[in-house]
Amino acid sequence: LPLAADFGPFSTIVWHADDYTRQEIAAVIPGLANHLAHGGRLWLVGWKPVLGLMGGGTYPFSFAAGQFCRDWLHLDRAEQSGTNDFTGATGRAGYPSVGVDSTRTLPALQGRLIYVDALLPADAETILTFNSFSGDTFQGKPVGVRWLGGPHRAVAFGFPFYYMKQAEARDVARKVLDDLGEPYGIEDEHPEPEVSRPIPTIVRGRINLQSAICDLRTPVTLLDAAGRRVTTLGAGSNDIRGLSPGVYFLRTRSGQVHRVQVVR
């Protein structure tokens, strides 16, 4: 399990609890709370997330000041659907909807999920609501909430993400990253880039652009692995001393992307 210090280097923590019989998050609540108190961000998603945060007990739960669910997720209470009735969630507040992929569930569940948490907000914002196969009392209850009021940001889902339809899950995840202020990465900002092979190498701060880019008469943009611009090289320039070792990308004016490796 991560220690409090392990959270420090990261702007966002994604905690996905994928075991519905055993939750581990209670042991790291002090570290997570410290991370959020210093402006960190959290995406909590998975099986029985509230049970994990409470360290055990029985649904329904009600939350008071001083408890993680109230202080950091801004929840009032939580309930759980104990039958295989969850078919997906309807998006609100700009979120797309998402449905269960029946090919990913156990046959006995008949394409639906059990043990889904309804997250009833205090002053958090509802972003996803429960779609009930039977139309029972869980229909329309919040299963996804967000708090963007600062200084921290948090998004919490009451269901595991693995069982969702992949394309829909990707769209929801992108919206979460938007809310948390995280970049998607270069492949999403610039669809289907052409990546050169073999990988050109920057050695001692200079790159042989001829090996990566045919047209040296136009500027190229150097991006880090997350798709953020590091610098722009003018036409014919190849001097980028001071760059840390690692993987970068060169993007030409035509939109082609070339991966480069920086070594010492």
Side-chain angles (χ1 to χ4, degrees), residues 10-12 32-42 70-74 123 146-155 179-182:
F10 303 100
S11 56
T12 292
L32 277 178
N34 182 67
H35 173 74
L36 296 172
H38 288 83
R41 287 157 278 184
L42 171 68
R70 168 68 75 157
D71 293 352
W72 302 110
L73 302 181
H74 292 257
D123 52 355
R146 67 182 178 186
W147 170 260
L148 307 180
H152 71 288
R153 300 182 186 183
V155 175
D179 279 349
L180 299 180
E182 295 292 352

Side-chain angles (χ1 to χ4, degrees), residues 10-26:
F10 303 100
S11 56
T12 292
I13 304 300
V14 179
W15 188 282
H16 189 287
D18 202 30
D19 186 341
Y20 69 85
T21 64
R22 182 178 177 182
Q23 288 73 41
E24 303 282 2
I25 195 169

Side-chain angles (χ1 to χ4, degrees), residues 111-171:
R112 308 185 291 273
L113 294 186
I114 193 173
Y115 303 138
V116 170
D117 284 6
L119 308 174
L120 305 170
D123 52 355
E125 183 179 12
T126 298
I127 55 178
L128 293 167
T129 59
F130 195 113
N131 290 340
S132 166
F133 175 78
S134 68
D136 71 3
T137 57
F138 277 84
Q139 175 66 36
K141 289 188 175 181
V143 290
V145 298
R146 67 182 178 186
W147 170 260
L148 307 180
H152 71 288
R153 300 182 186 183
V155 175
F157 291 176
F159 58 95
F161 226 40
Y162 169 79
Y163 299 95
M164 301 300 106
K165 295 176 181 176
Q166 186 174 19
E168 296 174 356
R170 182 181 296 113
D171 289 342

Side-chain angles (χ1 to χ4, degrees), residues 4 17-18 53 58 65-66 75 79 92 99 123 129 142 160 167 169 175 180 189 192 196 223 245 261:
D18 202 30
L53 288 169
T58 305
L75 297 178
E79 303 170 357
R92 293 175 54 179
D123 52 355
T129 59
K175 180 57 178 168
L180 299 180
E189 293 182 2
E192 299 182 3
S196 61
L223 309 167
Q261 179 74 44

Side-chain angles (χ1 to χ4, degrees), residues 197-213:
R197 296 290 188 270
I199 299 172
T201 300
I202 301 175
V203 182
R204 291 186 297 275
R206 292 182 180 272
I207 181 171
N208 180 4
L209 293 178
Q210 184 66 54
S211 69
I213 301 171

